[in-house]
Amino acid sequence: VTSLLVESPGLLTTVQDLGRHGYGPLGVSPSGAADAVALRLGNLLVGNDPGAAALEMTLMGGSFLFPDGATIALTGADFAPTVNGKPLEMWMTHQIEARTRLCMATTRNYARCYLAVHGGIRIPRFLGSASTHLLSGLGGFRGRALCKGDVLQIGRSAKRIPQRRVSQTVLFALRPGKKLRVTDGPQSANFSEDTKRMFFHSPFRVSEQSDRLGVRLEGPKLATNGPADMITEGVTLGAVQITPSGQPIILGVDQQTTGGYPKLANVISADFHRLGQLRPRNEIRFERTPLAAARSLWIEQERLLDSPKLLFA
Amino acid sequence: MRFCAASDQSLLIYLGEEIGLPAHERVLKLLRSIEKKPPVWLRNVQPAYCSLLISFDGCRVDHAEVEATLRKYEGRAKSARTSKRKTLEIPVCYGDEFGPDLEEVAKIHRLTTHRVIELHCSRTYHAYFLGFAPGFAYLGDLPEGIGTPRLETPRRKVPAGSVAIAGTQTGIYPFSTPGGWRLLGRTPLPIFRANRKPMQRISIGDQVRFRPISRKQYVTWSGR
């Protein structure tokens, strides 16, 4: 075991993996990387299991020191990474020499950047996952975002990991975008055709209030037909809830597990990673997708991520 | 029983249309029968008042298949007996800085704060389900006369252990989180502990009573 020293944490940096699933009866939400695709690809580049624990940085990256060196990869949003002042290519395996500093600046494109290290971040698991749930302070590194001076244990490189890149075709197919595809939500019938037309034909602006719990949107006021007070029920990642003020909130990975707002739509699974890359002031649109098509897109995406042509030397 | 797709990899089963024990019993029985023999494609179950949200692996099954399987589980669940319910008592120090909304709730209902506390402690509540945050149990139903709508503007931070009411429900905040329920008091008992088994103090189906304690007792308890 070797270590990673946090010299500056950036805006909000947490330990995340693919989350903890199956603890709904305890009220525990899955958490995990907001862009699970970037996390998986980062781990594959450094020779880990796709679900190993890595660092998730938000909008602005930090600076990290590797006292004994490491094998790393940066995926997701481009935070202009440098090593000893030299630019570092994204989506590629890198060998970091001992006592070298990795520095990141603010984002050039999307919301979240992942730092994967060979051997993964070694921390105790909570309910089978290393993911941080900030609301409850459970999981991750002491249940919180990283601070200056934190020292994280990482796996030691036994062998040299081959240097590889992610295929451009794959990156293009999975690139983030400002169009989110959605299926109908369970209370879709509570909204008039006029409201739905407005929802599908208007741009929405991502609010500054957005975080891992949810993406808050600003746009035309959407009125509910049905009772304003519905019986609280289970809610899922990507659910588009319409609040009493008529503004949508899309539930994120740290979501509350139940909710009482009507849901007009739900982001399709194949666009979850795009949801995780939205940043404040982005302007987004929704596109209606049939359930069967959404499922096919998900299966296709999973196949792509399992494909042997994913990485190349 | 009514099914509704919630997303491309989840499905809601409604087992009733109003909050109450009949729907709760059916939810609990179906949950137990699923937990006893979870299907391989199952990712998560989120119970609530009248429904279960079933999340599944979309690469293995589709909605129709999940629905067909769940109908079988529901058929078996009907005859199942639910295990004996645990009854627990929660000590609460009411009012002052522990219950900043107690006076307001009393005023709304034209009661004394003493009467509000008495009414809150007069019932044995059912834990309908855990939701919102880890270990947060939705307890119901409040006696007539103290049901109060949630705050218009939620607090940014509610202290852990806060005992609160909203609508016809009461609950305890396990962690310091944002929250819109009205705070009546605080319990010195930890509600969710990651290093204990079980982690949650209150489980779905449990019976819960509240008991008023003095500030002095609260302090002694917290020190333990």
Side-chain angles (χ1 to χ4, degrees), chain A residues 22 24-27 233 258 269 295, chain B residues 8-9 14 44-46 58 61 134-135:
Chain A
L26 300 185
E233 62 186 27
T258 55
S269 303
R295 195 168 156 260
Chain B
D8 56 14
Q9 295 193 87
Y14 295 99
N44 190 28
V45 186
Q46 179 59 57
V61 277

Side-chain angles (χ1 to χ4, degrees), chain B residues 68-87:
Chain B
T69 309
L70 289 168
R71 282 184 189 282
K72 282 184 214 150
Y73 274 90
E74 158 72 2
R76 258 177 280 159
K78 268 187 199 146
S79 55
R81 277 192 308 172
T82 42
S83 52
K84 238 180 119 187
R85 287 153 184 274
K86 186 173 81 203
T87 302

